[in-house]
Amino acid sequence: MRAAVLIALKDLRQRVRDKSFFLWGIVAPVGLAAIFSLLLGSVADGDSISTTFGAVDLDGGEQGRVFVEEVLGAVEDAGVVDGIEVYGSRDAAEAEVSTGALDAAFVIPEGFTAAVASGGETAIEVIGYIDSPIGTEVARSIATRYVGEVNGVGAAIGTVAALEGAMPSQADLDEMVSGILQISSPLRVGTIEAADKELESSTFYSAAMAVMFLFLIVQFGVLGLLEERENGTLNRLLAAPMRRFSVVLGKALTSFTIGVLSMTAVIVITTFALGADWGDPIGVAVLVLAGVIAALGLMMMVAAFARTAEQAANLQAIFGFLLAMLGGAFFPVAAAGGLVETLSKITPHAWFLRGLGDLAGGAGLSGIVGALWPILLFAAVTGGLAAIRLRKVVAP
Amino acid sequence: MAGNILEARGLRKTFGDLVAVDGVDFHIAEGETYGLLGPNGAGKTTTISMVMGLLERDGGDVVVDGKPISTSSTSAKAAIGYVPQDIAIYPDLTARENLDFFGRLYGMPSSTRKQRVDEVLEIIGLADRAGDRSEEYSGGMKRRLNIGIGLLHGPRLLMLDEPTVGVDPQSRNAILESVERLSREGMAVLYTTHYMEEAERLCDRVGIIDQGQIKAEGTRGELVAMVGGRDRVHLATTDRTEPAVGPLQQHPSVDEVTAADGSLELLVRGAAEALPRLLETAASAGVSVTSVDVVEPNLEAVFLHLTGKALRD
């Protein structure tokens, strides 16, 4: 162990001297976190999305009124949109959308209320502005949700009619629809619970950049093993009175120390400089340690399979960026669903960020166990493969 | 053998079908410099790697300072100083830092380490540049630091694997002087080289190695005696050589004549005196000699005699 510590201290001195630790371990992650926070932070935090919707009620019935006044009114009251403008014709609303004055417009077709009351299929048309995909998507979601609810009501009425053998009177229908909609509350807008688990943009980008560069900076330790082999000093180390494994252990210790120091520095700097809120220090420390071990496992695996230090550095960079992207360090891949979402679940990055989200949501140490074990599993798998192959690097 | 610092017996190493080292035996006594002389690829580095415990042996034993050496040895390695063929230093560390790191690795106590580092810096002539990063050194300075690391911890056996390859003449001489001084101070030295003159200058005994086998071993005098103290005379011709073979063999100072395509190889006693008459004999036989090369009896000649090829082939 003494020899491993000596090797690690020597490596750390080299890394400090060539400034690679400061550049890749502190300047790059903090700098990128600052840039992302400034560029994307206000958008991500929802501070400056300005959305205005239009509404055209061609139906004139009860359901059209409910949608325009109650549903869209509630959306406006909740601050999801900045304003709702009502138009008398489809053309008028479409003209406003085409100029960008509106992000999207809802068109409630004629016979909408009757269709609901009779149990027939109906829909609300959404006209979207081409340069406002987010606003259009929000509008489409509101309309889809509402239509889904009223179609459900229609189906319920149809069922009643079938059971009683005849359609109820118009007065009865209006009473039933009103009653059902009150019960089912077609659209609720309020604070989403999951939002409590989301990181603020400055924290998110600080954490995302920190964990991404963590997977890059650990190479400075383990790659040293290949560099020592290439420049001949590995034989010199192996000729010294110490166990061969001490060399590998020393390199791993270097990577571990560099990883922990880098993460600690980024956490401290972003907390004070960017206002990042990392959460419970103990929970963060546990997540950081798990992340460093996972990064170390991957790096050792890459070093074990690569033929040269240069090849290993390139592979580690590719893996580092790929895992960061899949893990949601740049954008929320979970929303993409499908294969991408599945792949993101094998990345330590995704679980690291999820663990921080849990901490931000008030979870304690026990609350991040669900995020910890996938990270440690990743470390075990990659580290295990590395252990098998790394023997060859220092093999006699 | 009492007093031997190193004893290597029956060393053998194969790489696939290639037998790199085949039954090598040698020993080095305290204060003795032993040279392994052979061309590139003869098996010198493989032998030294097995002696160091860097390479797994397929057969044989190595004992250093009374302790057996294997790839898993730790304490026995403390008795060995290793100077690899390629420069093996950390370029972004200073000479002092390089030496200090390896001193710690060899377990030198801090009380003696600093003093010893200063001593070695003086020995290798880098005391005034000790605080500069070694990447700023000339090739010769790096070579000297490479050696300094090997002798820092005061090993009983110093192994130098072709330490002068690619070194300028001035640095080369400095390296050879360092080895001579260490030998005088009682250190056992294993020195591999393919430079005959280095082996002749430094080594008390030389093992001539080729194709993984030690072909002959002994002091310079013992080895030269193997070729009978005779000069090797090479006569290049433009004509057929056969007509001159018989008359030359009749010459009293000539022991052996070998005809090759366009040349004659003669083993001659006292070539300097006999050469004019030999040229006359050749000319009388109708063979015109275009150039003459005389190799006095040395290790090069011994190697040629033993292997049929030159050291630098």
Side-chain angles (χ1 to χ4, degrees):
Chain A
M1 187 64 187
R2 181 182 163 279
V5 171
L6 286 173
I7 291 169
L9 288 173
K10 184 268 297 175
D11 286 350
L12 289 171
R13 172 181 279 181
Q14 289 177 284
R15 296 288 80 85
V16 168
R17 187 161 288 173
D18 69 13
K19 299 180 178 60
S20 54
F21 168 73
F22 297 109
L23 185 63
W24 290 96
I26 298 175
V27 175
V30 171
L32 280 179
I35 290 168
F36 279 127
S37 296
L38 286 171
L39 289 179
L40 305 171
S42 56
V43 175
D45 290 340
D47 294 339
S48 63
I49 294 178
S50 177
T51 309
T52 304
F53 289 155
V56 182
D57 185 3
L58 300 176
D59 175 50
E62 176 65 12
Q63 296 312 310
R65 185 197 64 76
V66 167
F67 180 75
V68 174
E69 294 180 4
E70 297 184 14
V71 175
L72 294 184
V75 169
E76 186 177 11
D77 292 344
V80 174
V81 295
D82 294 335
I84 301 289
E85 304 290 338
V86 177
Y87 295 86
S89 71
R90 186 185 189 282
D91 289 344
E94 189 173 9
E96 290 296 289
V97 170
S98 65
T99 63
L102 296 176
D103 293 282
F106 301 95
V107 180
I108 300 153
E110 285 182 43
F112 183 71
T113 300
V116 171
S118 63
E121 287 289 320
T122 187
I124 296 175
E125 183 184 5
V126 174
I127 305 168
Y129 178 49
I130 192 167
D131 285 339
S132 181
I134 295 175
T136 303
E137 190 58 38
V138 170
R140 186 178 290 120
S141 297
I142 293 171
T144 303
R145 175 75 193 272
Y146 181 73
V147 170
E149 291 284 349
V150 296
N151 281 339
V153 172
I157 292 168
T159 304
V160 170
L163 290 172
E164 295 191 350
M167 283 297 288
S169 66
Q170 188 60 46
D172 290 341
L173 276 175
D174 288 346
E175 190 179 344
M176 286 170 66
V177 170
S178 177
I180 293 169
L181 285 177
Q182 278 180 6
I183 294 167
S184 62
S185 301
L187 194 66
R188 293 188 190 89
V189 178
T191 303
I192 303 166
E193 287 179 15
D196 289 337
K197 290 189 169 185
E198 290 177 357
L199 297 168
E200 266 190 61
S201 63
S202 61
T203 310
F204 171 78
Y205 287 115
S206 297
M209 293 303 106
V211 74
M212 182 177 81
F213 278 94
L214 168 66
F215 277 73
L216 301 178
I217 195 171
V218 291
Q219 68 179 282
F220 291 125
V222 178
L223 280 195
L225 192 61
L226 298 175
E227 289 169 353
E228 301 256 17
R229 187 172 64 179
E230 284 169 22
N231 69 22
T233 44
L234 180 61
N235 267 356
R236 190 147 234 168
L237 294 176
L238 296 177
M242 63 179 190
R243 296 189 184 282
R244 287 172 175 263
F245 183 68
S246 296
V247 182
V248 178
L249 192 61
K251 298 301 175 185
L253 198 56
T254 304
S255 284
F256 182 82
T257 308
I258 285 175
V260 171
L261 288 176
S262 167
M263 290 295 289
T264 304
V266 173
I267 289 169
V268 170
I269 293 171
T270 57
T271 297
F272 290 103
L274 303 180
D277 180 12
W278 287 75
D280 173 50
I282 296 174
V284 172
V286 171
L287 274 176
V288 165
L289 288 177
V292 171
I293 293 170
L296 185 57
L298 176 68
M299 185 64 251
M300 293 185 81
M301 187 185 78
V302 168
F305 284 88
R307 293 185 177 180
T308 64
E310 186 181 2
Q311 187 186 45
N314 292 336
L315 282 174
Q316 181 72 1
I318 291 169
F319 277 124
F321 282 113
L322 192 64
L323 289 172
M325 276 198 287
L326 283 173
F330 294 108
F331 47 84
V333 290
L339 179 63
V340 175
E341 185 184 9
T342 305
L343 288 174
S344 86
K345 289 178 179 172
I346 64 170
T347 69
H349 302 61
W351 294 105
F352 181 84
L353 293 172
R354 182 176 293 190
L356 282 182
D358 291 339
L359 290 174
L365 203 53
S366 59
I368 59 170
V369 171
L372 272 178
W373 75 259
I375 300 175
L376 294 175
L377 179 64
F378 181 92
V381 171
T382 52
L385 289 170
I388 296 168
R389 288 276 300 190
L390 267 181
R391 290 172 191 270
K392 285 192 173 180
V393 178
V394 294
Chain B
M1 176 180 162
N4 283 343
I5 297 297
L6 168 68
E7 290 187 51
R9 290 183 292 265
L11 297 183
R12 181 178 167 80
K13 180 69 185 177
T14 58
F15 298 102
D17 294 334
L18 175 71
V19 181
V21 174
D22 188 10
V24 165
D25 298 278
F26 63 99
H27 63 270
I28 307 176
E30 192 170 352
E32 182 182 37
T33 298
Y34 183 91
L36 272 179
L37 178 67
N40 292 328
K44 302 187 297 294
T45 299
T46 304
T47 299
I48 214 171
S49 297
M50 286 190 287
V51 172
M52 279 295 309
L54 294 176
L55 197 59
E56 197 89 62
R57 300 184 294 268
D58 292 333
D61 299 299
V62 177
V63 176
V64 174
D65 200 20
K67 296 175 183 169
I69 286 271
S70 71
T71 54
S72 58
S73 299
T74 52
S75 62
K77 289 181 180 175
I80 304 172
Y82 174 53
V83 180
Q85 184 173 347
D86 297 319
I87 295 171
I89 59 177
Y90 296 107
D92 43 3
L93 299 184
T94 66
R96 183 179 297 282
E97 287 167 344
N98 268 287
L99 290 167
D100 186 70
F101 167 66
F102 282 103
R104 289 172 187 268
L105 213 55
Y106 275 83
M108 295 177 71
S110 57
S111 56
T112 58
R113 192 174 60 246
K114 186 179 179 310
Q115 183 186 349
R116 180 61 182 160
V117 166
D118 288 337
E119 284 174 11
V120 170
L121 285 169
E122 288 291 341
I123 292 170
I124 61 178
L126 290 177
D128 56 339
R129 298 287 304 274
D132 296 343
R133 290 193 200 184
S134 51
E135 64 194 353
E136 298 168 5
Y137 294 169
S138 68
M141 293 164 76
K142 289 176 183 172
R143 279 276 171 197
R144 280 183 273 152
L145 177 58
N146 199 38
I147 293 173
I149 292 170
L151 55 90
L152 175 75
H153 61 287
R156 300 211 66 196
L157 171 65
L158 182 64
M159 297 192 192
L160 300 104
D161 190 8
E162 306 226 32
T164 60
V165 171
V167 175
D168 62 273
Q170 191 178 355
S171 295
R172 184 182 187 184
N173 195 50
I175 290 169
L176 298 182
E177 284 179 357
S178 296
V179 175
E180 286 172 325
R181 182 167 57 240
L182 292 167
S183 181
R184 283 196 302 272
E185 290 169 358
M187 190 178 286
V189 178
L190 172 58
Y191 192 96
T192 75
T193 182
H194 64 270
Y195 295 125
M196 175 270 301
E197 58 274 24
E198 287 185 7
E200 290 199 327
R201 173 174 165 178
L202 295 176
C203 301
D204 301 305
R205 286 188 305 125
V206 174
I208 291 183
I209 185 169
D210 188 47
Q211 296 182 326
Q213 294 178 326
I214 291 191
K215 303 292 184 183
E217 185 190 73
T219 63
R220 181 189 182 282
E222 289 168 345
L223 291 170
V224 166
M226 287 182 178
V227 290
R230 297 164 297 186
D231 299 322
R232 182 172 289 268
V233 178
H234 177 89
L235 304 177
T237 71
T238 54
D239 307 310
R240 291 172 59 244
T241 54
E242 286 80 6
V245 172
L248 286 170
Q249 277 177 333
Q250 299 301 317
H251 203 284
S253 58
V254 174
D255 286 346
E256 189 178 322
V257 178
T258 309
D261 188 25
S263 69
L264 290 161
E265 292 281 344
L266 294 81
L267 282 177
V268 182
R269 281 171 275 105
E273 296 78 26
L275 194 56
R277 278 172 290 158
L278 294 175
L279 293 175
E280 284 173 15
T281 305
S284 301
V287 175
S288 300
V289 176
T290 56
S291 71
V292 177
D293 188 20
V294 179
V295 180
E296 293 180 349
N298 56 19
L299 294 180
E300 177 86 42
V302 175
F303 189 85
L304 196 62
H305 175 73
L306 290 170
T307 66
K309 58 189 179 186
L311 265 171
R312 287 167 183 77
D313 282 354

